[in-house]
Amino acid sequence: MRNKLLILILALIPSWSLAQESTSANIIGVGPSNILDTYITQEKFSGIGLTYLYIKERAKSEKRWNNVIEHEIDFSSTKDRSKDNQMLEGNYYLYWGRYRHWQLCGDRLLLKAGALVNANLGFLYNMSTSNNPAQARISANIMPAAIATYHFPLFRQQWALRYELNVPLAGVMFSPNYGQSYYEIFNRGNYDHNIVPTTFISAPSFRQMLSLDWQASEKWSLRVGYLGNYQQAEVNNLKQHVYAHRVMIGIVHHFTASTRP
């Protein structure tokens, strides 16, 4: 009797599973950077930068929503027009979001639209001055986002053309006020509008990536492309921007796992 009851309970438990299709991409890039921060200096700096980008996307079969997480690390070494002053820049960007997706053109075209939450932590450091040599970069944003991916055969190989666009809508950022030192902020505790709400008007930034994937096997693809990250803001009577252009190359891993609904 006890064994029959156990069999009945197991029969009532759902035994099906959903396939979870995931991709992870590790990509590195190199290219020019252009920097301006009027808190440090009125001069513009330009040079070469490096970027590491990690992207992970998860989508369950029969579900129209998928999750995306991206980690981006940038580092640049730049100089002013006279080549006498050097500025170092480093930034870490975290993106987490959800997309709704649609498959069109016989499943060749995949469209995704949604929103990302973005957090940024970084720094600027002027190696040629002792007067206000550094600037911190701390911000958070809500970003409408879209991704379009088109799959096509060419030369008996499978390819995918992908375009991603993120545009900050609203957020907050840290900034000293004009003429205010970090000593006043952190040692004396003199707050002067240092946590600033931002919108697409005061911080008209955007980020885009165009890439081409060659499917080398069922589980691996080679990705090459362009990443443009254009961050700028005008708050507290200060102007700042970091324009990063990168030629990217990396590996994409495709895998499928089964999960219970």
Side-chain angles (χ1 to χ4, degrees), residues 36-42 87 124 131-137 174-185 235-240:
L36 170 69
D37 194 305
T38 58
Y39 178 76
I40 299 177
T41 176
Q42 298 290 330
M87 180 91 74
L124 294 176
N131 182 29
N132 290 339
Q135 169 74 301
R137 294 292 176 88
F174 166 81
S175 174
N177 216 318
Y178 181 80
Q180 184 186 28
S181 68
Y182 277 79
Y183 176 81
E184 293 178 272
I185 300 173
V235 297
N236 288 346
N237 298 308
L238 298 171
K239 293 182 179 180
Q240 58 178 256

Side-chain angles (χ1 to χ4, degrees), residues 106-213:
D107 292 341
R108 289 191 179 278
L109 179 61
L110 177 63
L111 298 180
K112 299 180 182 180
L116 299 172
V117 177
N118 161 240
N120 166 228
L121 178 64
F123 71 90
L124 294 176
Y125 184 73
N126 191 331
M127 300 183 66
S128 307
T129 181
S130 58
N131 182 29
N132 290 339
Q135 169 74 301
R137 294 292 176 88
I138 305 172
S139 65
N141 292 283
I142 297 174
M143 310 175 69
I147 301 175
T149 306
Y150 183 71
H151 299 268
F152 62 96
L154 183 65
F155 304 124
R156 299 183 180 180
Q157 302 293 319
Q158 293 298 318
W159 306 79
L161 186 64
R162 182 180 186 273
Y163 179 72
E164 177 181 349
L165 177 65
N166 318 132
V167 181
L169 179 64
V172 294
M173 67 176 293
F174 166 81
S175 174
N177 216 318
Y178 181 80
Q180 184 186 28
S181 68
Y182 277 79
Y183 176 81
E184 293 178 272
I185 300 173
F186 296 108
N187 290 75
R188 293 188 176 181
N190 294 338
Y191 176 83
D192 189 9
H193 200 240
N194 301 125
I195 306 299
V196 187
T198 58
T199 66
F200 62 92
I201 297 175
S202 61
S205 305
F206 75 99
R207 175 177 176 263
Q208 63 178 348
M209 183 172 179
L210 177 65
S211 60
L212 178 66
D213 291 6

Side-chain angles (χ1 to χ4, degrees), residues 64-66 68 98-101 112-114 116 145-147 166:
R64 291 198 173 272
W65 291 89
N66 68 301
V68 175
R98 283 179 63 81
Y99 290 88
R100 180 176 174 83
H101 65 265
K112 299 180 182 180
L116 299 172
I147 301 175
N166 318 132

Side-chain angles (χ1 to χ4, degrees), residues 22-153:
S22 301
T23 63
S24 63
N26 290 275
I27 314 169
I28 58 173
V30 61
S33 296
N34 186 281
I35 298 171
L36 170 69
D37 194 305
T38 58
Y39 178 76
I40 299 177
T41 176
Q42 298 290 330
E43 281 288 335
K44 293 182 179 179
F45 289 72
S46 59
I48 295 297
L50 300 173
T51 292
Y52 167 73
L53 178 63
Y54 173 81
I55 306 172
K56 186 163 188 177
E57 302 181 59
R58 292 180 178 177
K60 291 182 179 179
S61 61
E62 301 180 2
K63 299 289 184 179
R64 291 198 173 272
W65 291 89
N66 68 301
N67 298 331
V68 175
I69 186 168
E70 299 188 27
H71 302 274
E72 180 181 335
I73 300 173
D74 295 335
F75 180 80
S76 301
S77 177
T78 62
K79 291 186 177 182
D80 64 0
R81 289 173 293 179
S82 67
K83 307 298 182 182
D84 295 327
N85 300 314
Q86 185 177 13
M87 180 91 74
L88 299 180
E89 173 264 341
N91 273 292
Y92 166 69
Y93 301 94
L94 171 65
Y95 303 90
W96 181 88
R98 283 179 63 81
Y99 290 88
R100 180 176 174 83
H101 65 265
W102 298 266
Q103 290 182 307
L104 307 172
C105 303
D107 292 341
R108 289 191 179 278
L109 179 61
L110 177 63
L111 298 180
K112 299 180 182 180
L116 299 172
V117 177
N118 161 240
N120 166 228
L121 178 64
F123 71 90
L124 294 176
Y125 184 73
N126 191 331
M127 300 183 66
S128 307
T129 181
S130 58
N131 182 29
N132 290 339
Q135 169 74 301
R137 294 292 176 88
I138 305 172
S139 65
N141 292 283
I142 297 174
M143 310 175 69
I147 301 175
T149 306
Y150 183 71
H151 299 268
F152 62 96

